[in-house]
Amino acid sequence: MKIEESVSYLLAKLTVAHRNLLEKSVTQVGLHSGQVFVLMELWKQDGQRQIDLADKLNLAAPTVNKILGGLLEGDYVTRERYEDDGRSTRIFLTDKGENAKALVEEKWTEIEEQTVLGMSSTEALIFKQLLQKLMGADL
Amino acid sequence: MKIEESVSYLLAKLTVAHRNLLEKSVTQVGLHSGQVFVLMELWKQDGQRQIDLADKLNLAAPTVNKILGGLLEGDYVTRERYEDDGRSTRIFLTDKGENAKALVEEKWTEIEEQTVLGMSSTEALIFKQLLQKLMGADL
DNA sequence: ATTCAATGTTTAGCCGCCTAATAATCTAGC
DNA sequence: GCTAGATTATTAGGCGGCTAAACATTGAAT
């Protein structure tokens, strides 16, 4: 099999371009891509522990910790020790963090448009389903 | 639109898992994922300049430069000044670099199997075509 | 009550990407 | 010939991932 024609190769290549697109876009609202994903989890449920965020985002604990450093510095979130368990901290959105949601959603529409550019809506749907399938197979 | 159901979101998430799979696999033959992609270009054509590699791989020049640092240290490639143009260097495979091809191709088969796990061969084909389409749209 | 394993956070350090800025060389234009 | 601009490589530094290892706390077992 030609490596260049494998799904893995194409996916890896596409990844770089897409990550660049994502980063460039969210930079316009003052965020970085990793921060956006953490914020999304907090928008769904505020006050989560770092380990919860790491589990849901499928990221290693130090990765989440590092990203939170930036969000704390940018005043998007606050960190509080968890009374029920001294090992844990809970992360809470600030007003700024909550307000960022609308900005990100707006940007995301642009990102999505550029991502599926050149695909018909049918193709986009099929593509989405296949992506979900791959995600489910937890790779 | 729900961000979590967008192609962009799913793609970004899948990316992380796939990159981890790739990295873990090629580590077993003593390489890193970035190094593999550079080597692939050299296997196609030896003696290229850094800028050529960067263009073909769609990477920034400093990225290629850094990756080459690791390949040089690992004795996979050598670097020579280009006589025709003093600004450029040419990168050449060593025996070790050439021999790595077989090892990587073997590993890649495993990677591909795990990547398309859970997809029928028809689905894999469709997926591949859509990936190529996205790549072509140069995102 | 003590000890020991498990859990959660953090630090250090690595690779994969990037941009910005330098230095060196080449190329044009005058 | 000389200068000005383009091109190539490199360095510095940042974010997005990771692992390994240190640390504190919890919880369980004796």
Side-chain angles (χ1 to χ4, degrees):
Chain A
M1 172 203 45
K2 262 210 154 66
I3 291 182
E4 282 85 358
E5 292 170 7
S6 67
V7 170
S8 303
Y9 179 85
L10 293 169
L11 189 54
K13 281 300 184 61
L14 185 62
T15 280
V16 176
H18 187 256
R19 169 70 60 164
N20 287 346
L21 166 66
L22 220 179
E23 184 69 24
K24 184 176 293 187
S25 181
V26 298
T27 291
Q28 295 172 7
V29 296
L31 287 166
H32 291 285
S33 56
Q35 299 176 341
V36 168
F37 288 106
V38 169
L39 285 175
M40 285 179 185
E41 286 307 319
L42 292 171
W43 291 331
K44 279 196 267 191
Q45 188 182 340
D46 201 9
Q48 298 192 62
R49 298 175 305 160
Q50 295 191 36
I51 189 68
D52 296 327
L53 296 171
D55 286 347
K56 291 177 185 168
L57 291 167
N58 245 296
L59 296 176
T63 299
V64 171
N65 188 268
K66 192 190 266 190
I67 291 174
L68 285 174
L71 288 174
L72 284 163
E73 195 155 340
D75 282 322
Y76 290 95
V77 302
T78 58
R79 176 149 54 187
E80 297 180 11
R81 280 233 96 68
Y82 189 18
E83 318 82 36
D84 292 12
D85 188 335
R87 293 168 296 187
S88 293
T89 63
R90 301 182 70 190
I91 309 299
F92 292 93
L93 289 164
T94 61
D95 286 349
K96 188 176 176 186
E98 271 169 6
N99 293 337
K101 189 179 185 212
L103 300 175
V104 168
E105 285 176 341
E106 201 174 316
K107 273 296 161 200
W108 205 269
T109 305
E110 295 176 23
I111 293 167
E112 184 71 358
E113 278 172 8
Q114 287 192 52
T115 301
V116 300
L117 208 70
M119 280 198 292
S120 70
S121 54
T122 305
E123 286 174 327
L125 184 60
I126 292 172
F127 189 64
K128 192 186 297 185
Q129 288 169 345
L130 289 173
L131 286 175
Q132 284 169 331
K133 195 161 201 168
L134 284 198
M135 289 267 295
D138 91 345
L139 215 63
Chain B
M1 171 202 48
K2 261 210 155 67
I3 291 182
E4 281 85 358
E5 292 170 7
S6 67
V7 170
S8 303
Y9 180 84
L10 294 168
L11 188 54
K13 282 298 183 61
L14 184 62
T15 280
V16 176
H18 186 255
R19 170 70 60 163
N20 287 345
L21 166 66
L22 219 181
E23 184 69 24
K24 185 176 291 184
S25 181
V26 298
T27 291
Q28 295 172 7
V29 294
L31 287 165
H32 292 284
S33 55
Q35 298 176 341
V36 168
F37 288 106
V38 169
L39 285 176
M40 286 179 185
E41 286 306 319
L42 292 171
W43 291 331
K44 280 196 269 190
Q45 188 182 340
D46 201 9
Q48 297 192 62
R49 299 175 303 158
Q50 295 191 35
I51 189 70
D52 297 326
L53 296 170
D55 285 347
K56 291 177 185 168
L57 291 167
N58 245 296
L59 296 176
T63 299
V64 171
N65 189 267
K66 192 189 263 187
I67 291 173
L68 285 174
L71 288 174
L72 283 163
E73 194 155 342
D75 282 321
Y76 290 94
V77 301
T78 58
R79 176 149 55 186
E80 297 181 11
R81 282 233 94 68
Y82 188 18
E83 318 81 36
D84 292 12
D85 188 336
R87 295 168 296 185
S88 294
T89 63
R90 300 182 70 191
I91 309 299
F92 292 93
L93 289 164
T94 61
D95 286 350
K96 187 176 176 186
E98 269 168 9
N99 294 337
K101 188 178 186 213
L103 299 175
V104 167
E105 284 176 342
E106 200 174 317
K107 274 295 162 199
W108 205 270
T109 304
E110 296 176 24
I111 293 168
E112 184 71 359
E113 277 172 8
Q114 287 193 52
T115 301
V116 300
L117 207 70
M119 279 198 293
S120 69
S121 55
T122 305
E123 286 174 326
L125 184 60
I126 292 173
F127 189 63
K128 193 186 297 187
Q129 288 169 345
L130 289 172
L131 286 174
Q132 284 169 330
K133 195 160 200 168
L134 283 198
M135 290 267 293
D138 91 346
L139 215 65

